[in-house]
Amino acid sequence: MSSKKLRRVGLSQELCDRLNRHQIVTCQDFLRLSPLELMKMTGLSYRGVHELLCVVSRACAPQMQTAYGIKTQRSAALSPAFLSTTLSALDEALHGGVACGSLTEITGPPGCGKTQFCIMMSVLATLPTNMGGLGGAVVYIDTESAFSAERLVEIAESRFPRYFNTEEKLLLTSSKVHLYRALSCDEVLQRIDSLEEEIISKGVKLVIIDSVASVVRKEFDTQLQGNMRERNKFLAREAASLKYLAEEFSIPVILTNQITTHLSRAPASQADLVSPADDLSLSEGTSASSCVTAALGNTWSHSVNTRLIFQCLGAERRQVVIAKSPLAPFTSFVYTIRKEGLILHKVLPLRPWQRE
């Protein structure tokens, strides 16, 4: 919450402009300064600066809430609690879809449909609320240059042919998806730090980062001394900022992750320790001495609220596993990727001779 902009905590526009000339934009920037420095910048007395410090501190400090208060607040909220995936069985298991106000991670090997899912969710978020959408814009941060505008239009036309029956509607939806290329950790953090104003000004209802692991694994070699600590600091800051935005504006945040192989006989790196919610080895055909896990390690896995694991079962068939969720049980669904996006397979009942 320290990344909250000063103009959102009750300071006058004139005072914000004065501080902005000194590159003091966020609560964190403000609270790093001494009272004497603030007196010089603002022209206020010591008492005036002390009052400002109290205002800014209260604005960015976490507020105590009771469980009843949280429940009442969510019940009274006008915005939807979930963004439907339109995959009915998956939505039912997740109690409505991708949860607003939390982080949902999609992890899996290349080619399993992670980016396809993100593009499909981008279309769904722009739909009006009476169609199960959020009626807003999307910020899509692409770190792998994998986003395809043509694919977004194809999914929109194929999945909702009756709604997207004119060029104007397709143009409106595509213009609501704001794409940013971020090819380094610094670029990703700078974009996240600027999201607060963008969410307000553009009516953003969904944030996607595809992928979190790409820039992190490229820049931090965990075998080098000190890199592990710096990597964990970066991931912790990134997760904290994204959780603040998700909770503050009650929007879903979708992140994609990569996979890594952990050799059980080799000394385990703290970056890639195996937890039950990470294990992808069940259908990957790995040996007993190794297993395939979600990248970025245990610390990161505890930062996300929901983890969906995408896996390849064959040339066309794939599987989505709900590996971690505060609402859903551990379960899986088979899907394929078509021109309209992801399509779940119907689960047929077992024949009498197939039952044990």
Side-chain angles (χ1 to χ4, degrees):
M1 296 180 73
S2 62
S3 61
K4 182 181 285 189
K5 298 296 187 289
L6 287 172
R7 67 184 61 182
R8 294 193 62 233
V9 303
L11 273 62
S12 68
Q13 186 62 47
E14 180 186 357
L15 187 56
C16 287
D17 291 341
R18 196 179 302 172
L19 290 166
N20 194 44
R21 287 195 287 270
H22 298 277
Q23 286 77 51
I24 309 303
V25 179
T26 66
C27 292
Q28 185 178 43
D29 298 333
F30 187 87
L31 295 173
R32 279 176 174 171
L33 299 173
S34 68
L36 182 59
E37 289 173 315
L38 289 172
M39 288 169 65
K40 289 179 179 178
M41 290 180 186
T42 62
L44 297 174
S45 65
Y46 178 83
R47 183 172 181 175
V49 165
H50 179 72
E51 290 175 357
L52 281 180
L53 284 168
C54 291
V55 169
V56 174
S57 298
R58 281 195 296 267
C60 67
Q63 300 296 314
M64 189 281 294
Q65 288 181 289
T66 64
Y68 177 76
I70 294 172
K71 182 178 182 301
T72 304
Q73 183 180 352
R74 289 181 178 174
S75 299
L78 298 176
S79 57
F82 296 92
L83 171 58
S84 170
T85 67
T86 66
L87 306 172
S88 56
L90 180 61
D91 281 347
E92 184 178 352
L94 293 171
H95 290 232
V98 176
C100 297
S102 68
L103 309 186
T104 297
E105 182 201 72
I106 313 298
T107 191
C112 63
K114 301 188 298 292
T115 298
Q116 300 289 324
F117 180 80
C118 290
I119 294 174
M120 186 178 83
M121 296 306 294
S122 297
V123 173
L124 297 174
T126 66
L127 292 175
T129 53
N130 61 2
M131 290 183 65
L134 298 177
V138 178
V139 166
Y140 196 116
I141 301 174
D142 183 10
T143 68
E144 296 183 330
S145 301
F147 180 85
S148 169
E150 292 77 15
R151 182 65 175 133
L152 182 135
V153 171
E154 181 183 39
I155 290 175
E157 286 182 307
S158 304
R159 203 170 192 90
F160 303 98
R162 292 184 180 179
Y163 181 74
F164 291 105
N165 54 6
T166 64
E167 284 291 326
E168 288 77 15
K169 286 184 177 178
L170 284 170
L171 180 61
L172 179 62
T173 286
S174 57
S175 64
K176 285 184 176 181
V177 180
H178 305 279
L179 178 69
Y180 298 98
R181 307 280 189 194
L183 303 179
S184 70
C185 291
D186 285 342
E187 288 178 4
V188 170
L189 275 185
Q190 288 172 13
R191 179 52 53 193
I192 291 173
D193 288 342
S194 69
L195 280 181
E196 187 169 12
E197 289 186 1
E198 200 161 353
I199 289 171
I200 297 169
S201 63
K202 295 179 179 176
V204 173
K205 297 295 183 181
L206 172 65
V207 173
I208 295 174
I209 302 182
D210 182 21
S211 78
V212 171
S214 176
V215 291
V216 174
R217 300 179 84 187
K218 185 168 57 179
E219 291 190 27
F220 294 100
D221 182 354
T222 55
Q223 302 304 314
L224 297 178
Q225 187 175 8
N227 267 11
M228 179 65 65
R229 182 174 63 254
E230 292 303 313
R231 179 170 115 158
N232 286 342
K233 281 171 61 178
F234 170 82
L235 290 171
R237 180 180 170 187
E238 183 176 26
S241 297
L242 290 170
K243 278 193 173 184
Y244 160 71
L245 293 170
E247 293 170 2
E248 179 75 6
F249 298 101
S250 189
I251 61 173
V253 174
I254 297 176
L255 315 161
T256 67
N257 193 2
Q258 298 174 348
I259 61 171
T260 186
T261 302
H262 170 64
L263 302 175
S264 60
R265 291 179 183 175
S269 163
Q270 289 181 347
D272 295 309
L273 290 173
V274 184
S275 73
D278 295 338
D279 195 353
L280 283 74
S281 58
L282 184 63
S283 62
E284 292 289 334
T286 52
S287 66
S289 62
S290 67
C291 62
V292 178
T293 73
L296 305 182
N298 258 343
T299 302
W300 172 257
S301 72
H302 291 307
S303 298
V304 297
N305 304 100
T306 302
R307 167 170 280 170
L308 304 181
I309 296 175
F310 284 22
Q311 299 171 319
C312 296
L313 300 180
E316 291 189 1
R317 294 171 68 249
R318 293 162 172 82
Q319 178 178 249
V320 53
V321 178
I322 303 177
K324 177 185 178 182
S325 169
L327 298 172
F330 185 93
T331 186
S332 64
F333 305 94
V334 176
Y335 67 94
T336 52
I337 300 173
R338 306 293 185 190
K339 64 178 181 178
E340 59 266 41
L342 275 63
I343 302 294
L344 286 189
H345 285 203
K346 291 183 179 179
V347 179
L348 299 176
L350 294 176
R351 304 291 176 88
W353 60 84
Q354 293 175 310
R355 295 172 183 154
E356 295 183 354

